[in-house]
Amino acid sequence: MALAASLMGTTETLDEARATEARTQVASDFVVTAAGEGAALPARFVERARHISGVVVSASRSTSVTVLEEGTALVGSEARAVDPADAAAVSALPVVAGSLAGLDDGSLVVNEEWMTTTVGERVGVWLADGRRVTLRVAAVLSTGTGNNGVYVTPRNAGGAAVDRIDVKVREGTGRSAVETQLEAAGRATGAQVATRAEWTAASRRQSGGNTRLGLLMILLIALVYTAIALANTQVMATSDRVRDLAVLRLAGATKAQVLRLVGAEAVLVVAVGTVLGGAVAALNLLGVRTALGLLDVHSAVVVPWGTIGSVVAASALLAVVFAVLPASLALRTRPVELAGARE
């Protein structure tokens, strides 16, 4: 119970935190991406999007920046190349120092994980095309859940093509009309048009899928061993109480009543284990919530009720079956013989 709730609860809480962070930072109404992962958007779609009246279009490129830390370690960071003016209109980045407006071809935006986090300080980096340049720190972003990367201008993108467009509808412009034009352009060019909510949900599924699968495999192995231990414990415990069960039969209890008692006791054991495991999981999830708060990420703790229900139900079933089954086999012997048997 503790392991299942802690593992899956932590994963889902972090996924929710990332989704909350994305919803907070993305201020655009629509997000357009290429059909294939890592593919570039067709240039004609970018042109058609820019010609839609009443919108702000921010085209960005996926790139990378590498920095030499402490003179020994080359550390690469994912980066996005944006136009500062357009990006400021369609996003709300968690800036803790400086300003996104200060970004230009001679500067970059970093996050708090970098060694150099002083606005105005210069840092030597390698761009995606291998060029080594010295750029000034224009702004610093909070660490968050780790998705706050580096921002540079298109000139420092290493020749990367546009792979994402954020579109914000200006006040007074019909949102449905803009959506219709974007979808028409998307069908003609193969681009994928999504609302902010749809894009956030898709990003959450994509980021948490592999992690969740790996944790499920770990959890499955642990649950198999736990099931074996639970069954073995119940069989041994019931076998040691054969004489007690026989005394109940001699006192007038029917076989069905004795078996119901054994089953009820097994369920009680599972209930106690559930409460104790839930307390341990609650402490773990509280620690995760506290850690996210220190990173200035404010989202709710997600309790994996489905996983908890499945684990509790499976545990109760195993406990009852492997408690009642040996008791039923033992009660086939006459009560007097059982009560007189030596332990």
Side-chain angles (χ1 to χ4, degrees):
M1 169 61 190
L3 183 64
S6 297
L7 282 179
M8 304 314 298
T10 298
T11 303
E12 294 185 19
T13 298
L14 291 178
D15 288 346
E16 178 61 25
R18 293 189 187 97
T20 300
E21 201 173 40
R23 285 193 297 267
T24 303
Q25 295 180 13
V26 178
S28 60
D29 296 289
F30 302 97
V31 178
V32 184
T33 55
E37 184 177 356
L41 281 170
R44 51 184 177 148
F45 179 91
V46 179
E47 290 300 319
R48 291 181 64 170
R50 293 188 184 280
H51 284 85
I52 298 176
S53 60
V55 299
V56 177
V57 176
S58 175
S60 62
R61 299 161 171 81
S62 178
T63 182
S64 63
V65 171
T66 303
V67 62
L68 182 65
E69 291 189 352
E70 298 181 342
T72 56
L74 285 172
V75 180
S77 300
E78 294 182 357
R80 294 208 70 81
V82 298
D83 180 87
D86 294 338
V90 300
S91 62
L93 298 177
V95 178
V96 296
S99 172
L100 185 61
L103 179 64
D104 54 29
D105 291 340
S107 64
L108 79 169
V109 175
V110 302
N111 58 55
E112 291 178 316
E113 291 183 328
W114 276 52
M115 297 289 293
T116 304
T117 56
T118 302
V119 175
E121 189 171 349
R122 305 186 71 81
V123 56
V125 298
W126 284 268
L127 302 178
D129 58 1
R131 287 186 295 142
R132 191 182 191 283
V133 296
T134 301
L135 301 176
R136 172 179 48 85
V137 176
V140 181
L141 307 180
S142 65
T143 303
T145 59
N147 290 332
N148 297 329
V150 179
Y151 288 83
V152 295
T153 59
R155 182 178 178 182
N156 294 322
V162 174
D163 61 354
R164 171 178 163 180
I165 293 179
D166 289 77
V167 180
K168 184 174 179 61
V169 181
R170 298 182 186 274
E171 188 175 352
T173 303
R175 190 175 185 276
S176 59
V178 172
E179 184 174 8
T180 300
Q181 295 181 68
L182 287 174
E183 289 180 346
R187 287 192 295 269
T189 59
Q192 295 180 334
V193 180
T195 63
R196 178 173 57 179
E198 293 171 344
W199 180 82
T200 302
S203 298
R204 176 176 177 176
R205 289 193 299 269
Q206 183 177 7
S207 63
N210 293 333
T211 301
R212 186 176 291 105
L213 180 60
L215 291 179
L216 281 174
M217 294 299 296
I218 296 173
L219 181 59
L220 180 61
I221 295 172
L223 290 179
V224 168
Y225 281 98
T226 302
I228 295 172
L230 177 61
N232 183 60
T233 302
Q234 288 295 82
V235 169
M236 291 190 301
T238 304
S239 300
D240 288 341
R241 299 180 57 206
V242 168
R243 292 185 63 189
D244 298 333
L245 300 180
V247 170
L248 289 176
R249 290 281 284 119
L250 291 174
T254 65
K255 181 179 179 180
Q257 289 175 328
V258 173
L259 293 180
R260 283 199 296 269
L261 173 63
V262 172
E265 290 176 340
V267 172
L268 178 61
V269 170
V270 173
V272 172
T274 299
V275 172
L276 296 177
V280 173
L283 289 175
N284 290 335
L285 294 179
L286 180 61
V288 173
R289 179 65 186 85
T290 302
L292 288 173
L294 294 175
L295 296 174
D296 293 326
V297 180
H298 304 286
S299 63
V301 172
V302 180
V303 180
W305 294 114
T307 301
I308 291 174
S310 299
V311 170
V312 172
S315 299
L317 179 62
L318 285 170
V320 170
V321 169
F322 286 97
V324 171
L325 184 59
S328 177
L329 295 175
L331 290 177
R332 289 182 179 181
T333 308
R334 290 190 302 172
V336 175
E337 296 177 1
L338 287 175
R342 298 181 62 182
E343 293 184 1

